[in-house]
Amino acid sequence: MASPMVATPVQLRTSTGRLSFSSSPSAAARRRLAAVRASAEAMATEKLGIRVERNPPESRLSELGVRQWPKWGCEKSKFPWTYSAKETCYLLQGKVKVYPEGHGEEFVEIAAGDLVVFPKGMSCTWDVAEAVDKHYNFE
């Protein structure tokens, strides 16, 4: 993983020949920062039609407005579910194995700290191993 960027003061000569200092990041530094951000989003994986982004930065959650989404939770249980709309959710706590219909015993495991996208029309079984508390948003 890339190391955090640190602004380094840079000496600049003004038109009068005086030295001044700037802590603004250079174009190259801004490009590196953009690459790190893109890399964080690229670290999301997709398996069996479910997109999982593990431990996204708070800036990503804020950008999506996750903390303002409604909340839902359940205890340890197992139940079928069909998504009538695309759902994006952020797990605050819990651990679940999601078994999409048509994939036999294959599953996707999601847990606290995961940002997850389920596609519209997906039918699956949720096997909740640890009680779930999540924010969710339907599109």
Side-chain angles (χ1 to χ4, degrees), residues 115-126:
L115 182 65
V116 186
V117 179
F118 296 97
K120 177 181 179 178
M122 174 177 275
S123 292
C124 59
T125 298
W126 271 50

Side-chain angles (χ1 to χ4, degrees), residues 1-2 4 33-44 51-67 69 88-92 112-116:
M1 186 174 219
L33 180 58
V36 167
R37 285 185 184 141
S39 149
E41 284 191 40
M43 290 172 57
R51 185 175 185 273
V52 181
E53 193 173 326
R54 308 253 183 232
N55 299 305
E58 188 61 39
S59 59
R60 172 97 168 107
L61 301 177
S62 294
E63 173 186 303
L64 294 171
V66 168
R67 306 284 184 205
W69 295 350
T88 302
C89 64
Y90 178 68
L91 275 74
L92 299 166
D114 289 346
L115 182 65
V116 186

Side-chain angles (χ1 to χ4, degrees), residues 67-126:
R67 306 284 184 205
Q68 284 70 51
W69 295 350
K71 286 176 77 177
W72 177 87
C74 71
E75 296 300 316
K76 183 176 176 179
S77 56
K78 189 172 185 175
F79 56 90
W81 188 255
T82 297
Y83 291 90
S84 58
K86 175 182 171 182
E87 180 187 342
T88 302
C89 64
Y90 178 68
L91 275 74
L92 299 166
Q93 68 177 38
K95 185 183 271 188
V96 181
K97 287 182 181 176
V98 181
Y99 293 84
E101 196 173 272
H103 292 281
E105 293 301 309
E106 288 188 89
F107 63 88
V108 175
E109 189 165 50
I110 58 175
D114 289 346
L115 182 65
V116 186
V117 179
F118 296 97
K120 177 181 179 178
M122 174 177 275
S123 292
C124 59
T125 298
W126 271 50

Side-chain angles (χ1 to χ4, degrees), residues 7-13 19-26:
T8 305
V10 176
Q11 288 185 0
L12 300 173
R13 280 217 191 259
L19 289 178
S20 66
F21 292 88
S22 170
S23 61
S24 298
S26 67

